[in-house]
């Protein structure tokens, strides 16, 4: 009886493990580490020492490395996902904060906050191959689903710059609200969403006309507008729901992508920054900068179901594809 | 890598040269003080370009943005001595096609400048004068204040001291007029937030140089004498804008007590040690360009020129009326590394802003403090609020 019970648990764990055990790498801006979370156990299974002030973090397309921008070391470190140790570096230019890759995974586009520059890196050759001058304090980076348009947001210039990644030049710039931090295309590429941290809004841009066609505003009952500071934006792969991290408002807004209406606010940890979906789309992980933890949101139920303690000032999350 | 940089540099030049030809060129004036005050601490002596450096950096920032909008910005600086006529300087700038002027002038000179500029439709950004009267009975409809008022500074400090339960203050006031004005602001703050001034003492300026070879020996025995036999107090609050005594107080008081106000824990809009909310980026940009640290005056001038840039990028005009309408309006917000948007109070044209509390090494806290609530904006717990205003904008 007992044995059957235990076996039963083991079987459930194994099945469950096969279904949903992904690895999430969380950059901890202050501890200079990356926490590796097992999404089956919902706990940190390894803490990897990296360079100073790690923020932007993402997998390479081949999943062999996790790239992490170490701003104060002026480099991007490559964590080998087999050994989970730093194996190499990329020449990112000064103070890299955030980056995105070309759809084929060959090139990395890096926002250099201190240099008004987007640096282009050939990942395989570990070499800088070009640079594009943008506005003051470049930050958010996004690639259109067809790979034809690269977006950079500049925090003090308050613009989303449309960049031709092939010609490496700015094609157009769209004014948004103060301190734009993050850009994301809807999966069909029909809309570009840009969050403005200080402005407190998300601008919805028509990427063809390159104009702001709508602005999403937020209101949380009993809270003044000041702490509502949108940062990370994650849109479900079916393009139906957008999750927007609201920073020191300690909430994630859930927005209906079609109508641009907020349908729910989820209470998470303090100063929520960036987020990532598990590849099956079931969960969304949100890094809470001040409370040093990661909130786990059940996407179907729209509920926070778990919290994982990580290092100090968690900033970004990279999630494995499988 | 080198090639990348060369190409980037070339592009930058090419683009910034273009808008001047056919785009909008916004000329901004800067009226500063030629006479700089002596400070007690040698490391606090203001640089020759204190203030104007902040304006120049903001011109760079505006131009980086402007190259995408076919707008360019330039700065013309004039330094005035105490006896110079500000009205003449204003006419000179206006004759050069300037209608927006950032000032770092004493209150009386600013008022002369603003009144002279009014007939010509000029608009001013007060980056230097903290006088409350400029936001009260002597407010002007053509002067926006990026400098905080003394009331804002005192409130920012008082909120923190009250939060610490350091509510018994020994107030030491200098003998010059600005010291007394700051003391007025501190008294008002004490009353507003529930602190008690257990005693006031005046520190008379008896003259003498701040730089001496053996002054330390005397000061070490003078300050304990000056501060002894006071009623029990938690913190010594010094009002010494004239730089006569406050910096001599820390570690030298008769009782072991912390010092705040014009020394020790000081309320300010900026500090070279401030690195939160992206401030590190502005600090590095500034240091790279000027090889020195950024001061509060630099920041106040930076904000003024950035306000112009922000407004121009939206109204695409350098018409002062259009710029004023935009900056006063509901769409205006300035991001200035303070963790929230800065807006303009429509009753006295004061820029709402948090107040940093710095000890010379680090930023200890940022006011408004938690728990000081307000029905409209917590930033309005700092300074003269709408119901108290004596300002009639004309």
């Amino acid at each position: 009886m007992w044995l059957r019970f235990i076996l039963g648990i083991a079987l459930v764990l194994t099945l469950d493990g096969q279904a949903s055990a992904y690895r999430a790498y969380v950059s901890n801006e202050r501890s200079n580490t990356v926490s590796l979370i097992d999404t089956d156990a919902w706990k940190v299974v390894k803490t990897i020492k990296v360079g100073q002030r790690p923020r932007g973090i993402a997998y390479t397309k081949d999943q062999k490395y996790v790239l992490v921008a170490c701003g104060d070391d002026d480099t991007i470190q490559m964590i080998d996902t087999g050994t989970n140790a730093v194996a190499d570096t990329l020449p990112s230019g000064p103070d890299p904060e955030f980056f995105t890759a070309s759809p084929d995974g060959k090139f990395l586009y890096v926002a250099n906050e201190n240099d008004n520059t987007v640096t282009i890196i050939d990942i395989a050759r570990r070499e800088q191959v070009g640079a594009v001058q943008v506005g003051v304090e470049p930050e958010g980076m996004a690639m259109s689903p067809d790979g034809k348009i690269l977006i950079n947001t500049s925090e003090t210039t308050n613009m989303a710059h449309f960049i031709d990644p092939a010609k490496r030049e700015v094609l157009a710039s769209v004014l948004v609200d103060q301190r734009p931090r993050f850009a994301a295309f809807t999966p069909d590429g029909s809309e570009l969403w840009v969050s403005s941290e200080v402005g407190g809004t998300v601008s919805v841009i028509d990427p063809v006309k390159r104009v702001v066609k709508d602005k999403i505003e937020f209101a949380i009952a009993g809270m003044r507008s000041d702490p509502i500071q949108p940062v990370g934006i994650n849109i479900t792969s079916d393009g139906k729901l957008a999750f927007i991290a609201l920073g020191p408002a300690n909430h994630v807004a859930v927005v209906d992508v079609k109508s641009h209406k907020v349908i729910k606010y989820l209470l998470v940890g303090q100063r929520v920054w960036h987020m990532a979906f598990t590849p099956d789309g079931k969960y969304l992980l949100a890094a809470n900068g001040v409370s040093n933890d990661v909130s786990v949101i059940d996407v179907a139920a729209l509920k926070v179901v778990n919290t994982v303690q990580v290092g100090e000032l968690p900033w970004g999350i990279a999630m494995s594809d499988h | 890598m080198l090639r990348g940089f060369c190409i980037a540099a070339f592009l930058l030049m090419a683009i910034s040269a273009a808008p001047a030809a056919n785009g909008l060129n916004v000329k901004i004036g800067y009226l500063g003080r030629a006479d700089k005050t002596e400070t007690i601490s040698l490391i606090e002596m203001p640089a020759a370009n204190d203030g104007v450096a902040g304006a120049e950096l903001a011109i760079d920032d505006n131009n980086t943005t402007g190259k995408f909008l076919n707008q360019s910005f330039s700065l013309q600086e004039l330094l005035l001595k105490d006896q110079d006529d500000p009205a003449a300087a204003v006419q000179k700038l206006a004759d050069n096609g300037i209608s927006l002027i950032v000032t770092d002038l004493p209150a009386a000179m600013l008022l002369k400048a603003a009144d002279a500029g009014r007939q010509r439709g000029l608009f001013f950004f007060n980056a230097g004068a903290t006088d409350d009267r400029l936001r009260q009975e002597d407010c002007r409809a053509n002067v926006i204040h990026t400098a905080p008022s003394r009331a804002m500074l005192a409130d920012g400090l008082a909120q923190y001291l009250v939060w610490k339960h350091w509510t018994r203050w020994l107030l030491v006031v200098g003998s010059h007029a600005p010291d007394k004005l700051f003391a007025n602001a501190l008294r008002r703050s004490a009353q507003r937030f529930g602190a008690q001034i257990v005693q006031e003492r005046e520190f008379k300026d008896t003259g003498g140089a701040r730089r001496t070879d053996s002054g330390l020996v005397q000061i070490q025995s003078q300050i304990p004498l000056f501060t002894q036999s006071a009623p029990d107090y938690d913190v010594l609050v010094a009002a010494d804008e004239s730089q006569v005594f406050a910096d001599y107080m820390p570690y030298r008081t008769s009782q072991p007590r912390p010092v705040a106000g014009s020394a020790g824990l000081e309320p300010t809009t900026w500090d070279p040690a401030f690195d939160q909310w992206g401030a590190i980026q502005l600090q590095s940009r500034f240091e790279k360009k000027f090889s020195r640290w950024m001061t509060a005056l630099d920041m106040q001038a930076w904000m003024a020129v950035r306000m112009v840039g922000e407004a121009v990028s939206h109204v695409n005009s350098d018409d002062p009326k259009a710029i004023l309408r935009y900056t006063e309006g509901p769409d205006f917000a300035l991001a200035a590394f303070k963790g929230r948007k800065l807006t303009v109070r429509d009753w006295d044209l004061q820029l709402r802003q948090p107040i940093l509390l710095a000890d010379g090494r680090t930023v200890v806290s940022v006011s408004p403090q938690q728990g000081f609530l307000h029905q409209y904006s917590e930033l309005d717990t700092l300074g003269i609020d709408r119901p108290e205003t004596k300002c009639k904008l004309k």
Side-chain angles (χ1 to χ4, degrees):
Chain A
M1 167 78 190
W2 268 112
L3 189 65
R4 246 175 70 193
F5 183 53
I6 291 167
L7 277 176
I9 290 178
L11 191 65
V12 167
L13 279 178
T14 319
L15 285 176
D16 203 30
Q18 280 167 348
S20 71
Y22 306 110
R23 297 196 292 184
Y25 291 76
V26 182
S27 58
N28 301 305
E29 184 181 0
R30 185 164 179 149
S31 8
N32 297 338
T33 57
V34 167
S35 302
L36 174 51
I37 296 175
D38 179 315
T39 67
D40 192 5
W42 292 123
K43 66 177 193 190
V44 173
V45 291
K46 186 163 184 182
T47 302
I48 304 160
K49 241 188 118 47
V50 296
Q52 296 185 74
R53 204 173 182 203
R55 285 180 286 174
I57 187 164
Y59 266 90
T60 53
K61 195 177 169 68
D62 60 14
Q63 302 267 308
K64 281 186 186 159
Y65 297 99
V66 166
L67 306 177
V68 55
C70 300
D72 284 359
D73 281 345
D74 300 332
T75 189
I76 290 179
Q77 292 187 325
M78 306 175 76
I79 298 171
D80 184 318
T81 53
T83 62
N84 282 320
V86 175
D88 212 341
T89 59
L90 292 173
S92 62
D95 196 16
E97 176 164 357
F98 209 73
F99 52 82
T100 192
S102 56
D104 61 8
K106 276 189 188 160
F107 296 106
L108 201 65
Y109 303 98
V110 186
N112 299 113
E113 272 202 311
N114 270 348
D115 220 22
N116 304 347
T117 306
V118 168
T119 300
I120 304 165
I121 299 172
D122 183 319
I123 299 176
R125 287 164 54 200
R126 316 269 197 268
E127 252 176 39
Q128 285 187 13
V129 293
V132 183
Q133 285 296 305
V134 290
V136 183
E137 292 163 30
E139 164 106 11
M141 301 291 301
M143 181 65 80
S144 63
D146 63 6
K148 286 186 178 154
I149 295 290
L150 174 69
I151 301 294
N152 161 257
T153 66
S154 45
E155 288 176 344
T156 291
T157 291
N158 301 327
M159 284 178 177
H161 302 290
F162 284 63
I163 299 166
D164 180 335
K167 289 184 185 154
R168 295 167 190 174
E169 60 184 35
V170 175
L171 301 172
S173 300
V174 177
L175 273 173
V176 293
D177 286 340
Q178 284 66 38
R179 210 166 156 80
R181 291 205 70 144
F182 194 88
F185 280 93
T186 51
D188 64 1
S190 67
E191 287 178 350
L192 171 69
W193 290 32
V194 175
S195 63
S196 291
E197 185 184 27
V198 169
T201 57
V202 168
S203 296
V204 179
I205 297 171
D206 178 335
V208 180
K209 293 182 188 154
R210 293 168 188 163
V211 291
V212 175
K213 64 175 193 181
D214 199 3
K215 260 184 205 174
I216 303 169
E217 292 182 357
F218 306 91
I220 300 172
M223 191 180 285
R224 226 176 293 275
S225 65
D226 274 2
I228 298 179
Q229 301 182 355
V231 192
I233 303 172
N234 290 62
I235 301 175
T236 52
S237 57
D238 62 8
K240 287 190 173 151
L241 288 182
F243 291 80
I244 298 166
L246 298 180
N250 309 337
H251 280 77
V252 169
V254 186
V255 179
D256 177 61
V257 171
K258 204 172 165 193
S259 67
H260 304 153
K261 293 266 186 300
V262 180
I263 53 180
K264 198 169 179 185
Y265 292 99
L266 305 171
L267 180 65
V268 291
Q270 291 173 17
R271 193 161 186 180
V272 53
W273 282 117
H274 292 290
M275 305 174 290
F277 286 109
T278 52
D280 59 9
K282 276 189 186 168
Y283 299 104
L284 178 70
L285 276 65
N288 303 312
V290 173
S291 48
N292 300 339
D293 51 24
V294 167
S295 297
V296 182
I297 296 165
D298 181 324
V299 173
L302 295 184
K303 268 188 184 154
V304 176
V305 292
N306 216 330
T307 303
V308 184
Q309 286 293 316
V310 290
E312 284 179 85
L313 307 196
W315 197 91
I317 304 176
M319 187 74 71
S320 63
D321 271 357
H322 49 71
Chain B
M1 177 154 166
L2 190 65
R3 213 180 63 189
F5 273 114
C6 290
I7 294 169
F10 171 73
L11 275 178
L12 193 63
M13 281 187 327
I15 294 165
S16 59
N22 49 16
L24 177 64
N25 188 342
V26 181
K27 294 185 194 169
I28 301 173
Y30 187 97
L31 289 178
R33 309 178 199 212
D35 309 305
K36 301 280 177 189
T37 48
E38 192 89 359
T39 58
I40 290 177
S41 168
L42 191 56
I43 61 171
E44 292 201 327
M45 289 286 287
N49 63 352
D50 191 20
V52 74
E56 283 171 14
L57 184 64
I59 290 279
D60 288 359
D61 288 349
N62 286 355
N63 278 330
T64 305
T65 302
K67 75 184 180 205
F68 300 108
L69 295 168
N70 208 19
Q71 296 168 346
S72 67
F73 297 80
S74 59
L75 192 73
Q76 191 182 345
E77 178 197 5
L78 280 179
L79 295 182
L80 303 186
K81 291 187 186 306
D82 286 347
Q83 66 275 16
D84 286 345
D85 177 17
V90 165
Q91 300 300 351
K92 194 170 160 189
L93 291 176
D95 290 344
N96 290 343
I98 286 171
S99 51
L100 301 159
I101 300 175
V102 178
T103 65
D104 166 30
L105 294 174
M109 290 177 85
L110 169 59
L111 289 175
K112 276 185 194 156
D115 293 342
R118 198 212 304 243
Q119 293 135 11
R120 298 188 66 163
L122 269 52
F123 200 79
F124 295 80
F125 293 81
N126 166 29
T130 54
D131 301 64
D132 286 297
R133 71 177 173 115
L134 295 173
R135 289 84 174 160
Q136 291 273 59
E137 59 274 18
D138 290 331
C139 70
R140 294 289 186 274
N142 62 341
V143 183
I144 278 187
H145 309 275
T146 59
S149 62
R150 287 192 179 93
M152 289 165 73
L153 294 168
D155 285 347
L157 177 64
Q159 285 189 6
Y160 179 77
L161 297 181
V162 167
W163 180 84
K164 285 291 291 175
H165 301 291
W166 294 346
T167 50
R168 295 174 305 168
W169 301 358
L170 175 63
L171 180 63
V172 182
V173 187
S175 54
H176 295 281
D179 311 334
K180 291 176 178 165
L181 291 172
F182 188 35
N184 288 344
L186 288 163
R187 281 186 213 104
R188 172 184 167 275
S189 301
Q191 198 178 19
R192 270 183 113 192
F193 299 118
Q196 184 200 351
I197 293 168
V198 298
Q199 199 179 70
E200 275 192 33
R201 293 184 177 189
E202 187 186 51
F203 197 108
K204 266 206 165 44
D205 184 4
T206 51
R210 291 178 183 84
R211 298 279 95 74
T212 58
D213 275 342
S214 54
L216 271 183
V217 182
Q218 274 192 4
I219 292 156
Q220 184 170 334
S221 48
Q222 281 169 353
I223 301 300
L225 268 176
F226 179 82
T227 52
Q228 72 186 4
S229 50
D232 201 13
Y233 66 96
D234 301 312
V235 56
L236 186 151
V237 180
D240 176 33
E241 292 189 6
S242 312
Q243 288 278 332
V244 171
F245 69 92
D247 278 311
Y248 295 137
M249 292 289 162
Y251 304 105
R252 300 177 186 92
T253 50
S254 174
Q255 297 282 308
R257 293 289 180 272
V259 175
S262 301
L265 189 69
E266 295 184 47
T268 182
T269 56
W270 196 251
D271 186 87
F274 186 58
D275 61 359
Q276 301 289 291
W277 297 306
I280 182 78
Q281 295 161 42
L282 184 64
Q283 305 278 24
S284 353
R285 274 212 299 288
F286 189 94
E287 203 181 333
K288 197 168 159 187
K289 188 172 166 76
F290 299 107
S291 304
R292 67 168 176 85
W293 289 334
M294 187 172 187
T295 67
L297 184 58
D298 292 320
M299 183 56 180
Q300 286 150 208
W302 183 88
M303 291 193 294
V305 174
R306 278 291 301 127
M307 279 178 87
V308 174
E310 192 57 34
V312 170
S313 71
H314 283 93
V315 301
N316 196 28
S317 156
D318 63 349
D319 171 25
K321 280 202 195 81
I323 287 172
L324 175 65
R325 241 194 328 273
Y326 184 77
T327 47
E328 273 187 310
D331 294 330
F332 176 80
L334 183 69
F337 311 95
K338 301 287 172 67
R340 60 172 94 200
K341 60 179 133 182
L342 310 188
T343 53
V344 176
R345 289 178 182 150
D346 59 6
W347 60 90
D348 60 4
L349 302 185
Q350 168 69 52
L351 187 70
R352 289 186 181 90
Q353 55 192 310
I355 296 297
L356 313 183
L357 301 168
D359 70 354
R361 302 280 299 171
T362 62
V363 171
V364 175
S365 185
V366 181
S367 287
Q369 296 295 319
Q370 271 201 331
F372 291 88
L373 303 176
H374 191 275
Q375 67 276 17
Y376 175 67
S377 159
E378 274 127 29
L379 290 176
D380 286 343
T381 63
L382 305 174
I384 311 291
D385 200 1
R386 186 191 299 274
E388 318 163 74
T389 186
K390 293 176 196 152
C391 168
K392 291 188 180 73
L393 289 170
K394 272 185 278 192

